[in-house]
Amino acid sequence: MSVAQVRSEAVRLVIANIRAIEAQFGINRASLEMIAAELKSLAQRRELFPAEDFPPPPRGDAEASLRYVLHEEPDQGYVLRLNSINPGKTSIPHNHTTWAVLVAVDGEELNRVYRRVDDGSDPEHGQVELVRELLVAPGGEHAAYLGDDFHSIHVTGDRSTLHLHLYGKPLEALVDRIGIHPDTGKVVRYNQAFYRRERDIKV
């Protein structure tokens, strides 16, 4: 079989295992760790993600990113992407409104995890406080978030990332996502401000 065929079968099996985890345990902190273990087993098969199939964005643009779609489902089901982001890329703290798990194939991404501390009554302003930092890197830490969790990303190092991102629903369906500027408290509609569908590449 070709690399693409082997990769497709590996993705299919991992998604089936993850669906079984959700069916048995639901989605919670503990089950997200089980899901992360499944994704890590896939990420460790570095030969399935060669550079010729998943080239990074053009160098020199710190805002450049590409999202290779490895698996998606109808009716707003799971979406698995292989994200490649250039060094220097950052984001403001934001939520997803669905669960998400991030593991590294290559490259490093610092995640800052926040807690929202206001009551959410003002749609234009919010307040978050930093809880912890974790470095998503090959063989190291992963990130796992519930829908109301807030995090920001900061691509460190000198190489583009190649990270698996699994979401409970597709990004384009997450129209209620918000970001909060930590200095001013200004709330932005995250998808409207930052999501670009043209950066998704089906493989």
Side-chain angles (χ1 to χ4, degrees):
M1 290 194 292
S2 68
V3 171
Q5 290 171 320
V6 174
R7 180 174 60 243
S8 178
E9 178 62 11
V11 167
R12 187 190 67 79
L13 290 174
V14 165
I15 292 295
N17 290 343
I18 290 171
R19 188 165 300 287
I21 290 169
E22 182 178 11
Q24 183 172 358
F25 301 104
I27 294 296
N28 50 57
R29 301 283 182 199
S31 64
L32 288 183
E33 293 303 306
M34 300 178 203
I35 290 171
E38 290 290 335
L39 281 184
K40 281 188 171 183
S41 71
L42 180 61
Q44 289 165 0
R45 300 180 66 179
R46 183 66 180 85
E47 74 280 2
L48 298 182
F49 308 105
E52 56 266 28
D53 290 349
F54 303 99
R59 300 292 290 182
D61 182 357
E63 292 301 308
S65 63
L66 295 172
R67 295 182 295 262
Y68 296 97
V69 181
L70 300 178
H71 173 86
E72 62 181 349
E73 300 173 354
D75 302 321
Q76 300 186 356
Y78 293 178
V79 174
L80 177 63
R81 290 178 166 90
L82 188 64
N83 284 13
S84 184
I85 305 176
N86 279 350
K89 172 73 173 179
T90 65
S91 76
I92 62 172
H94 59 276
N95 64 4
H96 291 114
T97 68
T98 190
W99 59 269
V101 178
L102 292 59
V103 304
V105 176
D106 195 13
E108 298 179 347
E109 179 185 282
L110 177 69
N111 274 234
R112 291 184 175 138
V113 183
Y114 296 82
R115 177 189 301 113
R116 186 170 185 176
V117 295
D118 68 293
D119 63 8
S121 60
D122 185 345
E124 302 301 324
H125 290 85
Q127 185 178 358
V128 292
E129 64 178 18
L130 182 65
V131 175
R132 68 184 186 278
E133 294 185 345
L134 54 91
L135 186 65
V136 179
E141 293 182 292
H142 62 270
Y145 300 115
L146 295 173
D148 292 334
D149 292 337
F150 280 79
H151 79 124
S152 63
I153 67 164
H154 311 265
V155 179
T156 57
D158 59 359
R159 58 194 303 165
S160 300
T161 64
L162 202 59
H163 288 189
L164 292 167
H165 286 213
L166 178 65
Y167 298 93
K169 294 182 179 180
L171 290 178
E172 58 269 24
L174 308 180
V175 296
D176 294 325
R177 298 172 76 196
I178 62 169
I180 299 177
H181 287 275
D183 296 331
T184 65
K186 179 177 175 57
V187 171
V188 299
R189 303 299 178 258
Y190 200 83
N191 266 21
Q192 294 176 21
F194 299 110
Y195 178 67
R196 301 291 179 267
R197 187 73 169 97
E198 66 271 13
R199 293 179 182 172
D200 290 351
I201 301 171
K202 293 187 178 183
V203 296

